[in-house]
Amino acid sequence: MQHDSLYDDSPSSSRATRSEQERLAQLKSQIRHHDYLYYVKDRPEISDGEYDRLFRELADLERAHPELVTTDSPTQRVGAPPLDELGKVWHERPMLSLDSLMESDEVLAFDQRMKRELDTDQIEYTVEPKFDGLSVELVYDHGTFVRGSTRGDGSVGEDITFNLRTIRSLPLQLQADRYPDHLVVRGEVYMRLSDFHALNRRMTERGNDVFANPRNAAAGSLRQLDSQIAASRPLVITCYEVMAMTGAPPPSHWAELEMLAMWGLPVPNLRRRCQTIDQVLAFHRETEQQRANLPYEIDGVVVKVDREDWQARLGMKSRSPRWAVAFKFPPRKEITEVQDIAISVGRTGILTPLALLKPVEVGGVTISRATLHNADEVARKDIRIGDTVRVERAGDVIPAIADRIPVLNEVRSDPFHMPQHCPICGSAVAREGAYFYCTGQAVCPAQLKGAIEHFASKTALNIEGLGKKTVAQLVDQELVKDLSDVYRLDREQLLRLKGFAEQSATLLLGAIARSKTAPLDRFLMGLGIRHVGQHIAKVLAKEFGSLNAIMSADRDRFQEIREIGPEISESLVSYFQESSNRRVIEQLHKLGFSIAGTPSPQNRGALPFSGKSFVFTGGLMRLTRDEAKALVERLGATVSSSVSQKTGYLIAGADPGSKLDQAQKLGVTVLDEKAFLDLIEQQEKN
Ligand code: IVH
């Protein structure tokens, strides 16, 4: 692949001579070497002036002979034209996360567990910092960096190849000659604290919003559509895991890191190999002491069983490996002042008190608000406006107020009370236990926004593109006054919203249209009825089979069901008694909404998988069985538990059972997970 955007003004070129070609190759390898010394080793050997000369000479040669430009050339770090959106990348292996431990006792227990499972009394661990950045996957083919992506949901991430290319410490070409044909590496992209502060100063000078912390700054930079912007942000990368490679894997994590380093990839400098768990604890202690002096943010250390064969034997759980854990640092606390107590209103109308703080930096992040959870909590901690308090932040957790610090001779303000009227819509506030809620329901814009976000969310109707920002605009501009209005939106209206163009409008309209056939349980869950989450929605769908049956059931009927108690039945009955709710459901029906699983007969025939049956066997990686089931049912298929001649497809995941043999005997089409998802995607597009 060639990118010649840098050379739009290039003169018509003549064929390169042999000596020009040789010089070009020489320059590329010299620059690569000096980049490595400067950005990875932090040990430059030539002056900036000399470096610039080499770089200019290369750029001139390439300008004269654009046909010789390759993607791994140092000039290509900023060569790509801006994109409309980031593409999707399926990870070859799932990108797992780590279990977090907070206490030494838990780490000792982890060590005991490992020893038990491996039946040994000595385990070597490799420990390294837990970088507080963004996890990325890098793919090298024949030593050339070909693709990079974000973690995304662990299975599918976003293609950020062009932005990653701008990171100078990331080699575009691996060094040494014994690298594997194919290599997938995982690492963390982050921003040094000094660069982060300098960037924020620049942002302020230009009148732009500042980033809340280095991690957000790194994430914002990596997800830029224009790699020129990414290039202007000083990002760095450290690699800590080989996710896949051709050939035999190194025998230990330690050896793996050394190998990565040999290929020219940056690896954690602060690593240590520990013979005992006490050495692991010591590394954690020492690293925590160094934390404040490090030029970048870390939030703990990562402990990994060193031996590769042991890692393989321990394997993984659904989302994390068994052989590694994050041993986090305790949350940092800082002292500040409560300037005000505000109230936020959520989807279900619940009022949450929020402390507005005098901005304070806790572990590199400026904190200006903290949740106070509910009225009881405020009373228990006795927090009032003007108080001096300690705030804490633990990793990703929302900042919270740890406690109040009494100050000698202070004059305190009155105790805090919840308001009697909703601060958003003015409706009366009612109380249920520790919770206060706004009775305004759909009249209250805050609740309406929350209700629509919930309706559109992944586990409900999964309307991609209908996120928080879009919903806020739709409600604020009064384009959507209740749920059914979502299905009345047209292209013109969407195009008037901030952030929308032809393509995004088409995508959203498509997603909205597709959501019109939904399985009953997802629809029920999407309505956001109090106490009706995913599980209860499924129970109801199974028990009643149709929305009508649910709408006409009474308290006693609901309570006949084992999982349903008085609270849930009360909530269901009052939801469906409310005339505005019934009206919305009626409207949805009129707008062509049909509940799959119980579609009308004429509708069913039209679905792509009508009359087909699916059987699943083995474990799926990218979705749960229930999600897979819902997908095919939405397209008109039925799901059965055993294979017969009538089975349309057998979907075989990891470790398939005897159903696979059965299907092969009967000549039933067998698809693996990837082929299955491709099939679904194809049908959903049609
Ligand atoms: S190893 C299979 N090592 O921490 C093991 N992760 O929840 C995968 N992280 O999302 C991770 N520093 O982004 C590993 N030295 C390190 C790390 C590290 C930071 C991040 C990673 C992951 C998160 C864990």
Side-chain angles (χ1 to χ4, degrees):
M1 195 177 28
Q2 289 202 355
H3 290 285
D4 46 17
S5 61
L6 269 184
Y7 306 109
D8 285 346
D9 54 352
S10 63
S12 58
S13 56
S14 58
R15 264 182 79 85
T17 63
R18 160 77 61 85
S19 81
E20 280 175 321
Q21 289 182 25
E22 279 169 8
R23 179 65 186 147
L24 195 112
Q26 197 181 31
L27 283 167
K28 281 205 278 198
S29 103
Q30 281 180 353
I31 293 172
R32 203 171 284 146
H33 177 64
H34 292 300
D35 275 346
Y36 175 70
L37 291 175
Y38 187 94
Y39 293 106
V40 180
K41 289 272 138 191
D42 217 1
R43 228 181 330 116
E45 284 176 3
I46 57 172
S47 70
D48 290 359
E50 264 171 281
Y51 179 89
D52 286 346
R53 245 184 328 102
L54 293 175
F55 201 94
R56 262 202 311 276
E57 190 185 340
L58 174 65
D60 288 345
L61 258 176
E62 287 183 341
R63 200 187 320 270
H65 303 289
E67 75 281 5
L68 298 181
V69 180
T70 54
T71 46
D72 69 344
S73 168
T75 59
Q76 294 307 292
R77 289 199 185 267
V78 226
L83 306 166
D84 291 330
E85 64 178 312
L86 299 174
K88 289 215 171 1
V89 174
W90 288 90
H91 301 306
E92 224 163 279
R93 299 276 160 80
M95 286 181 79
L96 304 174
S97 59
L98 293 172
D99 287 350
S100 291
L101 308 181
M102 296 301 299
E103 309 289 338
S104 334
D105 282 356
E106 296 173 296
V107 178
L108 294 174
F110 164 74
D111 179 50
Q112 288 303 324
R113 197 165 63 241
M114 294 296 103
K115 286 180 173 154
R116 214 171 35 245
E117 290 193 20
L118 294 166
D119 196 17
T120 177
D121 53 13
Q122 220 245 316
I123 299 181
E124 244 179 350
Y125 293 101
T126 289
V127 285
E128 56 202 31
K130 185 172 181 304
F131 300 92
D132 197 6
L134 223 85
S135 192
V136 298
E137 178 194 76
L138 312 173
V139 182
Y140 287 87
D141 275 337
H142 306 292
T144 305
F145 173 59
V146 290
R147 196 169 46 262
S149 51
T150 60
R151 176 168 184 270
D153 63 1
S155 305
V156 186
E158 284 176 314
D159 189 338
I160 49 166
T161 312
F162 290 113
N163 293 334
L164 286 169
R165 277 214 179 103
T166 67
I167 300 180
R168 295 308 183 107
S169 49
L170 182 151
L172 300 179
Q173 177 69 42
L174 299 180
Q175 292 173 4
D177 39 25
R178 292 212 324 280
Y179 47 71
D181 280 350
H182 180 67
L183 173 70
V184 185
V185 180
R186 178 165 177 178
E188 198 86 355
V189 172
Y190 51 96
M191 201 177 274
R192 291 209 172 85
L193 282 160
S194 56
D195 288 328
F196 163 70
H197 292 304
L199 172 66
N200 266 353
R201 271 197 301 278
R202 277 203 324 263
M203 301 292 272
T204 321
E205 279 160 18
R206 292 184 196 150
N208 294 327
D209 288 344
V210 295
F211 289 106
N213 55 42
R215 161 131 55 90
N216 285 2
S221 308
L222 273 184
R223 299 188 65 257
Q224 286 292 331
L225 297 172
D226 184 349
S227 54
Q228 308 255 7
I229 299 181
S232 71
R233 307 270 174 84
L235 298 172
V236 284
I237 185 165
T238 298
C239 299
Y240 47 70
E241 228 27 79
V242 169
M243 292 175 59
M245 64 182 269
T246 43
S252 66
H253 183 66
W254 189 263
E256 183 174 307
L257 292 177
E258 288 189 328
M259 213 146 177
L260 290 172
M262 186 181 76
W263 294 327
L265 289 155
V267 294
N269 288 330
L270 263 180
R271 60 186 189 272
R272 186 181 293 173
R273 213 173 193 182
C274 298
Q275 258 68 44
T276 65
I277 201 67
D278 285 337
Q279 291 174 5
V280 169
L281 300 182
F283 178 80
H284 179 264
R285 259 194 320 272
E286 289 165 34
T287 313
E288 194 188 348
Q289 278 157 9
Q290 282 186 53
R291 186 183 186 187
N293 302 323
L294 288 177
Y296 46 83
E297 283 236 68
I298 63 175
D299 56 353
V301 302
V302 181
V303 186
K304 299 175 178 174
V305 170
D306 195 44
R307 266 174 64 168
E308 207 282 330
D309 56 337
W310 281 357
Q311 291 185 358
R313 212 157 100 198
L314 290 161
M316 58 188 228
K317 297 185 277 187
S318 62
R319 288 184 55 250
S320 54
R322 281 206 181 81
W323 46 268
V325 283
F327 183 11
K328 303 278 281 274
F329 295 140
R332 288 189 276 198
K333 295 179 185 169
E334 298 294 342
I335 293 172
T336 188
E337 190 188 304
V338 177
Q339 293 181 319
D340 200 358
I341 297 179
I343 303 289
S344 83
V345 183
R347 164 171 77 80
T348 49
I350 290 189
L351 272 52
T352 306
L354 207 61
L356 304 184
L357 306 167
K358 184 162 162 218
V360 60
E361 208 178 277
V362 186
V365 176
T366 308
I367 289 177
S368 53
R369 43 176 57 204
T371 176
L372 288 166
H373 302 291
N374 56 49
D376 285 359
E377 176 95 352
V378 186
R380 196 174 57 78
K381 290 187 173 160
D382 188 20
I383 307 285
R384 307 183 194 177
I385 296 171
D387 282 354
T388 301
V389 292
R390 239 178 344 177
V391 288
E392 65 182 3
R393 182 179 72 99
D396 274 343
V397 183
I398 312 162
I401 291 189
D403 46 17
R404 177 176 86 81
I405 300 179
V407 176
L408 204 63
N409 297 332
E410 66 183 329
V411 181
R412 301 186 67 202
S413 59
D414 295 335
F416 167 79
H417 289 294
M418 285 300 243
Q420 289 176 338
H421 295 280
C422 170
I424 308 286
C425 70
S427 304
V429 166
R431 177 169 194 169
E432 195 184 293
Y435 294 98
F436 289 75
Y437 60 93
C438 160
T439 54
Q441 298 202 2
V443 181
C444 179
Q447 289 188 62
L448 180 57
K449 284 177 194 169
I452 296 168
E453 277 165 32
H454 176 76
F455 188 74
S457 68
K458 262 212 174 72
T459 42
L461 280 275
N462 192 15
I463 309 182
E464 214 177 318
L466 195 55
K468 214 179 175 75
K469 281 189 191 148
T470 304
V471 170
Q473 293 191 69
L474 291 172
V475 173
D476 290 341
Q477 298 181 25
E478 298 187 9
L479 294 171
V480 169
K481 297 203 185 81
D482 69 46
L483 271 183
S484 69
D485 286 339
V486 169
Y487 294 87
R488 295 192 180 87
L489 289 170
D490 62 30
R491 179 176 297 274
E492 255 91 273
Q493 291 172 323
L494 291 184
L495 284 175
R496 266 183 263 131
L497 302 182
K498 249 202 345 242
F500 271 84
E502 284 293 342
Q503 198 188 11
S504 37
T506 307
L507 286 176
L508 179 53
L509 289 174
I512 292 175
R514 268 198 305 283
S515 74
K516 275 191 186 176
T517 36
L520 177 56
D521 59 328
R522 281 179 169 249
F523 179 77
L524 270 176
M525 140 94 188
L527 290 176
I529 305 167
R530 249 170 200 267
H531 310 302
V532 179
Q534 241 172 322
H535 176 65
I536 295 298
K538 280 206 171 88
V539 169
L540 288 167
K542 204 157 158 218
E543 177 79 21
F544 290 93
S546 82
L547 187 61
N548 274 339
I550 298 174
M551 288 177 72
S552 44
D554 60 16
R555 279 181 192 76
D556 294 344
R557 173 69 188 90
F558 284 126
Q559 291 208 49
E560 281 168 16
I561 305 166
R562 200 168 50 88
E563 274 102 333
I564 295 182
E567 219 177 16
I568 305 181
S569 20
E570 177 59 39
S571 164
L572 281 160
V573 170
S574 61
Y575 182 90
F576 290 117
Q577 254 167 16
E578 173 64 44
S579 60
S580 63
N581 293 335
R582 296 184 83 93
R583 206 163 44 237
V584 169
I585 293 173
E586 209 172 283
Q587 289 294 319
L588 285 172
H589 199 68
K590 278 200 184 128
L591 288 160
F593 213 96
S594 86
I595 311 285
T598 50
S600 53
Q602 66 269 38
N603 217 340
R604 197 173 184 87
L607 292 170
F609 289 152
S610 299
K612 293 236 162 51
S613 95
F614 279 71
V615 176
F616 292 90
T617 178
L620 299 177
M621 280 201 319
R622 305 203 149 112
L623 53 177
T624 64
R625 269 290 169 85
D626 286 338
E627 285 166 343
K629 239 175 117 179
L631 273 179
V632 295
E633 282 175 354
R634 196 157 73 189
L635 294 166
T638 55
V639 174
S640 110
S641 58
S642 60
V643 178
S644 74
Q645 223 127 32
K646 292 205 195 103
T647 306
Y649 295 95
L650 176 82
I651 312 305
D655 295 327
S658 61
K659 289 178 199 166
L660 180 59
D661 302 330
Q662 184 74 14
Q664 277 161 346
K665 240 184 260 154
L666 294 171
V668 171
T669 310
V670 178
L671 301 179
D672 66 10
E673 185 173 353
K674 169 106 181 39
F676 166 63
L677 289 168
D678 287 345
L679 175 75
I680 298 286
E681 194 180 4
Q682 205 185 339
Q683 295 303 336
E684 291 205 326
K685 264 195 214 137
N686 289 342

